[in-house]
Amino acid sequence: MRIVIAEDSVLLLDGLTRLLVAEGHEVIGYTTADEVVAALGPDDDLPDLLVTDVRMPPSHTDEGLRAAVHLRSLHKRLPVLVLSQYVEQRYARELFAGDVRGLGYVLKDRVADVDEFLDALGRVAAGGTVIDPEVVAQILARTRRSGLETLTPRERDVLGLMAEGRSNAAIADRLVVGLPAVEKHVTSILTKLDLPQAADDHRRVLAVLRWLEHEPTIGERP
């Protein structure tokens, strides 16, 4: 794959580049969001995947995520994986507001687990949707009045794995429970959140997007 990385940390950019090149990918790195926006012009020049940080120069607030939102508005088929230490609610909600295919939000701690990071990268590039369970946990911890408070602890575990894009069978394996139990939990989650009907592979993601839509304080910074 041809991958573009937007990351202002030279060390992390170098580490990601080495990792992905070793996996056989072509990598182009940029240290500012403006450089990425300028580089990704016509559709025929698009990479197979854009990996971007959230906080980038000059203000180190949300330039990388805003660039991702802008580029997805121009190129709806551009897969984007946000890689950050922070859950930036405002623009994350805008990024996931439309078609969620080919979108992901992964915390940088995930890079420590190379296999899972590469799996997330591959799924997003292939048109899947990946939301890190830690992002899910942060959103859930601050969520109010959206039906999420009615979920049981086990349903929250299942929802976190759903957000990773895992099948019911994979969830059952991870939680060491039977498939019928997982199916029951999934049905209960979607019922409690009163989610609208949608394609099966996207309706699950709507459960996570509900948190992004209903919690105005997720983007608060320490």
Side-chain angles (χ1 to χ4, degrees), residues 136-137 139-141 143-163 182 184-195 204-211:
V136 171
I139 295 171
L140 183 60
T143 302
R144 310 177 189 91
R145 298 182 303 278
S146 61
L148 295 161
E149 69 279 0
T150 65
L151 301 183
T152 67
R154 178 56 84 185
E155 287 169 348
R156 295 178 184 185
D157 292 339
V158 171
L159 184 51
L161 293 170
M162 286 167 56
V182 173
K184 181 179 178 180
H185 287 314
V186 171
T187 299
S188 178
I189 290 168
L190 300 179
T191 298
K192 287 181 178 179
L193 298 185
D194 192 26
L195 294 172
R204 291 169 169 250
V205 179
L206 294 177
V208 178
L209 299 186
R210 171 70 57 84
W211 300 340

Side-chain angles (χ1 to χ4, degrees), residues 5 10 14 21 25 32 35 40 49 51 57 63 66 75 83 106 110 112 149 152 159-160 163 196 207 221:
I5 302 177
V10 176
D14 181 67
V21 168
H25 304 298
T32 73
E35 288 175 333
L40 302 187
L49 177 68
V51 179
E63 281 90 342
R66 282 193 284 116
H75 311 292
L83 180 63
V106 178
R110 173 77 73 181
E149 69 279 0
T152 67
L159 184 51
R221 304 177 177 85

Side-chain angles (χ1 to χ4, degrees), residues 4-67:
V4 168
I5 302 177
E7 171 58 62
D8 66 312
S9 168
V10 176
L11 288 177
L12 182 55
L13 177 58
D14 181 67
L16 288 173
T17 299
R18 290 173 182 269
L19 169 65
L20 296 175
V21 168
E23 292 292 321
H25 304 298
E26 176 188 349
V27 179
I28 303 172
Y30 299 96
T31 56
T32 73
D34 287 344
E35 288 175 333
V36 174
V37 171
L40 302 187
D43 283 350
D44 55 7
D45 288 337
L46 291 181
D48 297 300
L49 177 68
L50 167 64
V51 179
T52 182
D53 192 4
V54 168
R55 299 184 179 183
M56 298 189 70
S59 70
H60 293 280
T61 54
D62 52 21
E63 281 90 342
L65 191 49
R66 282 193 284 116

